[in-house]
Amino acid sequence: DGGITQSPKYLFRKEGQNVTLSCEQNLNHDAMYWYRQDPGQGLRLIYYSQIVNDFQKGDIAEGYSVSREKKESFPLTVTSAQKNPTAFYLCASSIDGFSYYGYTFGSGTRLTVV
Amino acid sequence: QKEVEQNSGPLSVPEGAIASLNCTYSDRGSQSFFWYRQYSGKSPELIMSIYSNGDKEDGRFTAQLNKASQYVSLLIRDSQPSDSATYLCAVPSGTYKYIFGTGTRLKVLA
């Protein structure tokens, strides 16, 4: 079955530590996205990528980094520069980046700072 | 700053009633609109899309779009307890991304 796989489901980060969240899709979608969701807030865009080897900052990119070396994969690294990383992270993909089609979301990664 | 606004709720309706969820947006140039359902602790799931003024029906769901008034609505007929979730409205922002509303929490009372 086609879909988006995010791992791990739960992740605990120590102060000063970088962590990487995995996102893999087998939908043959060109565009991929990372959103962050905090309680009582909408989804906020961190980074997005329309094609391989290209990505753009979203609204809250500070403290995060991404790569898009393969069409199927769009990992997100939460660096120590992100001071409040505790949140629910959602990876999504769409057929292309022209906003005409909706997103397919992964199941999410819940990140907690310990 | 382009915005999408939703009433956070909770909106409580009895089982079998019609639930009406509303969303307003600020960008007059928006062409496509989406409704996602998100169960507690889960990721959003696309349930409806609408591109033209008027109504679009899919089973118990009807999406309504009024571009002149800049609002999009979602009606859920014969509401069931399993419809209890947060409903997110999404509007394109530019060409390559969406803005999401904060969502309306719906509670269907058995």
Side-chain angles (χ1 to χ4, degrees):
Chain A
D1 287 338
I4 299 180
T5 301
Q6 288 188 245
S7 62
K9 189 172 182 178
Y10 299 96
L11 186 58
F12 299 90
R13 193 195 93 166
K14 296 180 180 180
E15 294 285 348
Q17 189 179 45
N18 292 356
V19 292
T20 297
L21 284 59
S22 172
C23 178
E24 303 276 337
Q25 55 101 356
N26 61 2
L27 299 166
N28 200 33
H29 285 177
D30 285 329
M32 297 187 74
Y33 309 81
W34 275 104
Y35 282 87
R36 167 178 173 150
Q37 188 175 37
D38 295 277
Q41 297 193 36
L43 277 66
R44 293 185 290 168
L45 182 63
I46 304 172
Y47 269 98
Y48 62 103
S49 169
Q50 300 155 39
I51 57 172
V52 175
N53 293 322
D54 184 59
F55 49 83
Q56 310 296 327
K57 292 183 178 180
D59 302 316
I60 56 164
E62 184 176 353
Y64 301 97
S65 65
V66 294
S67 63
R68 186 86 186 276
E69 297 176 359
K70 298 186 301 181
K71 186 175 184 177
E72 302 80 18
S73 179
F74 192 41
L76 173 74
T77 296
V78 184
T79 74
S80 57
Q82 172 50 240
K83 298 306 179 188
N84 185 22
T86 295
F88 189 40
Y89 290 86
L90 289 159
C91 179
S93 71
S94 64
I95 294 173
D96 57 32
F98 290 97
S99 300
Y100 194 74
Y101 305 100
Y103 289 164
T104 300
F105 281 91
S107 58
T109 293
R110 200 166 295 276
L111 174 62
T112 304
V113 174
V114 296
Chain B
Q1 175 73 12
K2 298 173 184 174
E3 294 182 348
V4 177
E5 295 189 0
Q6 297 181 254
N7 187 321
S8 61
L11 172 67
S12 295
V13 300
E15 184 175 357
I18 296 176
S20 178
L21 308 166
N22 298 311
C23 172
T24 60
Y25 59 95
S26 61
D27 183 7
R28 287 188 172 274
S30 297
Q31 297 296 314
S32 50
F33 305 85
F34 303 90
W35 284 99
Y36 291 82
R37 177 177 61 201
Q38 186 176 25
Y39 292 113
S40 181
K42 303 297 184 182
S43 61
E45 171 192 15
L46 180 65
I47 55 171
M48 287 290 287
S49 60
I50 187 166
Y51 310 107
S52 304
N53 276 331
D55 295 359
K56 178 184 177 182
E57 187 174 317
D58 184 0
R60 294 187 296 111
F61 298 99
T62 298
Q64 299 176 318
L65 175 60
N66 185 322
K67 290 186 178 181
S69 300
Q70 295 176 247
Y71 78 80
V72 56
S73 300
L74 179 69
L75 301 179
I76 306 175
R77 290 182 301 281
D78 189 23
S79 294
Q80 301 297 309
S82 59
D83 295 324
S84 297
T86 297
Y87 290 81
L88 305 173
C89 171
V91 176
S93 173
T95 306
Y96 302 116
K97 55 184 179 176
Y98 296 98
I99 295 178
F100 285 80
T102 55
T104 298
R105 188 157 67 98
L106 173 66
K107 297 175 68 174
V108 180
L109 307 174

